[in-house]
Amino acid sequence: MSGPLNQTPLHDWHVAHRGRMVDFAGWSMPVQYTSIVEEHQATRRGVGLFDISHMGRLRFRGPGAAAFLDRMVTRRVTDLRPGKIRYGLMTNEKGGILDDVLVYHLTDVQGRSFHQMVVNAGNREKIVAWIRSHVTAADDVEFEDESLDTAMIAVQGPAALATMAALAGADLSRLGYYSGLVTTVCGHPCVASRTGYTGEDGCELIVARAVGLQVWEAILSQGESRGAQAVGLGARDTLRLEAAMPLYGHELSETIEPLQAGLAFAVNLEGREFIGSAAIRAAKASPSGQVRIGLKMAGKRVPRQHCRVFAGEQAVGEVTSGTFSPTLDVPIAMAYVDAAASGLGTELLVDIRGRKEPACVVQLPFYVRPAPGGNS
Amino acid sequence: MGKPEELLYSETHEWVCVEQVDGAKVATVGITAFAIEQLTDLVYMELPEVGSQVTTGGEFGEVESVKAVSPLYSPVDGEVVAVNSELPDRLETLGQDPYGAGWLVRVRLSDEQSLAKLMNFAAYQKQCADEAH
């Protein structure tokens, strides 16, 4: 990235609270404030607050919005009811993944319907250009990149929705998973959704940039008694990895097609065409061989992206993400390996800086949150 | 071990305490409180075996945090004569007592020239201040 880094409206707050700022996809973002493990556990046990204002927020209006998006995304958009959200992918003609996205269908306070898409920070400019190059006057859709005019905050953890109860203009706990609505937070207009990237219950909020800091501080203060803590990108990564959620640039790229990534659930090929659908259909008919798996290490050395994976002497794949799992207390990784080496329980070796360390193929995700009302 | 003010320091955040033992110079090596503060969330450490040779600037082990792995660089030349073998199982010691119980290895120096390149406490403090922002 060249030029000065983008700053979210919370940037000065992060710096003032000892956030260790790093360049992430052209944004100055906090990797951690205290310790990654502490912030991770705060999210698993109480409430974690994440500044995710760096992510791209795109709005689509007009009678043709749903039909246009339906052509751009691997999930059907035309039958997405107001108040619903779908996780999907944008693919190129070859079926390679351009980005993984959330598509929202919402109703504004005037009762008008609109669609919104949340995309990865590092792909925002690429996706905006991709959309602009495909939208025509005949599509009858108005498209706007609202990323720099808004802030986005994720509130995640078992106490997240209880924390929001006093601040939100609607009862978010009555919102279904992957549902959203236009409401208020601290009296300010807001898009709230029951979504997240941690494996915990919670919500994500989009507000005007000018009120981002006020909303952030209000949630932190409201959640104090429930252990609310600001969480940086370091723990965001360990949390999503335990939940086996893919990260663009790691599990997803333009050379990986969706079925290989284990994202069949995010692709709907039934009776519809979108950019890349023909290629994905062909790939489905003759699978390429490599699949995404989870690995649990026997030792303590941590596999990282690009570590090679072996079955005995034979190279069978490569690690895409690895970390030390604070919940399981062992190193874990996701990797792409040949289908023959992907069976649960298969003993593999990961080459960590020249030494092959034993690992076992395990079920994904690594972490599933306890059922609400459960004893655990 | 020594007081921080009396130790020598490398640019890569190892500290060195040189003592005369049975007519030979032996350097105790550790990593500084500043480095441990920067690393956070340590999960793994690997140290060399007694009897192995280390050279100035060469890697003699590694320390791994949740986020990343960092090599340990030797600030001196010589033979490893003792290793703090309990440390990898008690990494919290590094944060509690970095200049004492958190020592890593003792090296019998084969060459003292590298000592001249190490910093004193004041120079090292200045380096940390420069790195901190």
Side-chain angles (χ1 to χ4, degrees):
Chain A
M1 285 288 164
S2 58
L5 295 179
N6 283 316
Q7 294 185 357
T8 80
L10 299 171
H11 181 269
D12 293 351
W13 189 95
H14 300 318
V15 172
H17 291 79
R18 298 175 60 90
R20 295 190 189 180
M21 307 306 283
V22 297
D23 173 359
F24 182 82
W27 291 77
S28 174
M29 297 298 291
V31 68
Q32 67 197 81
Y33 307 85
T34 57
S35 112
I36 291 174
V37 172
E38 187 183 318
E39 292 166 21
H40 180 108
Q41 302 296 18
T43 309
R44 289 270 180 260
R45 292 168 186 168
V47 197
L49 259 75
F50 303 73
D51 178 10
I52 53 171
S53 303
H54 61 307
M55 298 198 72
R57 292 167 290 282
L58 316 178
R59 191 176 281 226
F60 302 82
R61 286 189 178 278
F68 173 73
L69 287 169
D70 206 275
R71 285 203 342 260
M72 306 296 288
V73 179
T74 56
R75 298 287 290 282
R76 201 184 286 275
V77 180
T78 47
D79 69 348
L80 188 63
R81 296 196 313 276
K84 292 294 175 189
I85 299 165
R86 269 180 197 155
Y87 173 81
L89 307 163
M90 292 181 78
T91 47
N92 59 26
E93 286 82 358
K94 293 175 180 166
I97 300 169
L98 293 169
D99 201 7
D100 61 338
V101 303
L102 289 184
V103 180
Y104 300 52
H105 187 190
L106 298 168
T107 308
D108 67 17
V109 285
Q110 283 91 31
R112 292 174 305 180
S113 153
F114 67 96
H115 286 76
Q116 180 180 277
M117 193 186 271
V118 173
V119 307
N120 279 298
N123 290 331
R124 187 180 113 239
E125 287 174 11
K126 175 179 81 174
I127 293 298
V128 167
W130 179 259
I131 288 168
R132 288 205 199 288
S133 73
H134 284 89
V135 73
T136 66
D139 287 317
D140 212 358
V141 55
E142 293 162 50
F143 160 63
E144 201 182 342
D145 178 0
E146 299 187 324
S147 311
L148 302 182
D149 304 322
T150 51
M152 189 166 183
I153 297 167
V155 188
Q156 302 279 299
L161 296 180
T163 299
M164 291 309 300
L167 302 172
D171 183 357
L172 302 183
S173 67
R174 296 187 61 180
L175 209 56
Y177 196 50
Y178 272 71
S179 296
L181 82 171
V182 173
T183 178
T184 59
V185 60
C186 309
H188 301 293
C190 155
V191 169
S193 58
R194 192 99 173 250
T195 49
Y197 194 53
T198 60
E200 294 301 329
D201 198 359
C203 62
E204 294 175 312
L205 309 166
I206 300 170
V207 296
R209 183 178 172 99
V211 301
L213 178 60
Q214 186 199 335
V215 169
W216 172 269
E217 289 188 319
I219 300 169
L220 257 186
S221 146
Q222 185 68 35
E224 200 175 358
S225 61
R226 298 182 173 92
Q229 210 168 312
V231 182
L233 294 181
R236 183 165 163 84
D237 191 52
T238 54
L239 289 158
R240 72 92 196 169
L241 223 165
E242 285 185 349
M245 291 169 161
L247 174 60
Y248 200 87
H250 290 254
E251 286 72 39
L252 308 179
S253 75
E254 291 185 26
T255 58
I256 292 169
E257 56 86 17
L259 303 181
Q260 199 182 344
L263 298 177
F265 76 92
V267 179
N268 183 346
L269 294 165
E270 297 301 313
R272 60 187 291 266
E273 297 299 331
F274 55 85
I275 299 169
S277 58
I280 296 170
R281 238 176 234 122
K284 193 177 179 182
S286 55
S288 69
Q290 288 221 322
V291 291
R292 178 159 67 104
I293 58 154
L295 289 171
K296 201 186 260 191
M297 305 303 293
K300 282 202 158 177
R301 295 177 87 215
V302 183
R304 308 285 180 183
Q305 187 177 26
H306 304 311
C307 284
R308 295 170 74 203
V309 181
F310 291 81
E313 293 295 310
Q314 197 191 347
V316 293
E318 193 174 293
V319 168
T320 49
S321 298
T323 193
F324 186 86
S325 161
T327 304
L328 304 179
D329 205 32
V330 292
I332 57 171
M334 291 195 276
Y336 281 102
V337 299
D338 297 341
S342 68
L344 293 182
T346 306
E347 302 283 343
L348 297 174
L349 298 165
V350 181
D351 184 339
I352 303 178
R353 296 179 297 283
R355 240 169 41 218
K356 288 181 181 169
E357 306 284 354
C360 183
V361 180
V362 297
Q363 181 82 52
L364 293 176
F366 300 97
Y367 167 84
V368 181
R369 70 170 175 267
N375 293 322
S376 49
Chain B
M1 216 55 51
K3 295 188 184 116
E5 299 78 19
E6 294 164 357
L7 303 172
L8 296 172
Y9 297 89
S10 69
E11 281 177 21
T12 49
H13 302 285
E14 287 84 15
W15 58 259
V16 177
C17 175
V18 181
E19 290 162 308
Q20 197 78 26
V21 180
D22 298 334
K25 281 200 168 162
V26 172
T28 302
V29 176
I31 42 184
T32 68
F34 176 84
I36 292 157
E37 224 279 306
Q38 291 293 306
L39 289 165
T40 72
D41 300 305
L42 299 180
V43 295
Y44 175 76
M45 173 176 265
E46 191 162 285
L47 295 172
E49 311 234 319
V50 170
S52 54
Q53 298 291 323
V54 294
T55 53
T56 302
E59 291 183 23
F60 72 93
E62 60 185 27
V63 60
E64 184 137 33
S65 71
V66 169
K67 190 85 192 142
V69 66
S70 308
L72 297 167
Y73 296 105
S74 178
V76 294
D77 297 299
E79 182 188 339
V80 175
V81 293
V83 174
N84 188 354
S85 54
E86 290 176 2
L87 188 63
D89 294 322
R90 293 180 196 165
L91 289 173
E92 65 280 5
T93 308
L94 281 167
Q96 293 157 357
D97 191 9
Y99 305 105
W103 67 280
L104 305 181
V105 293
R106 291 202 173 93
V107 178
R108 183 161 60 224
L109 299 183
S110 57
D111 184 339
E112 293 177 34
Q113 282 182 2
S114 58
L115 295 179
K117 292 182 186 149
L118 297 172
M119 287 174 271
N120 64 19
F121 182 63
Y124 178 67
Q125 274 197 309
K126 184 176 179 305
Q127 181 190 318
C128 293
D130 290 345
E131 279 183 30
H133 58 251

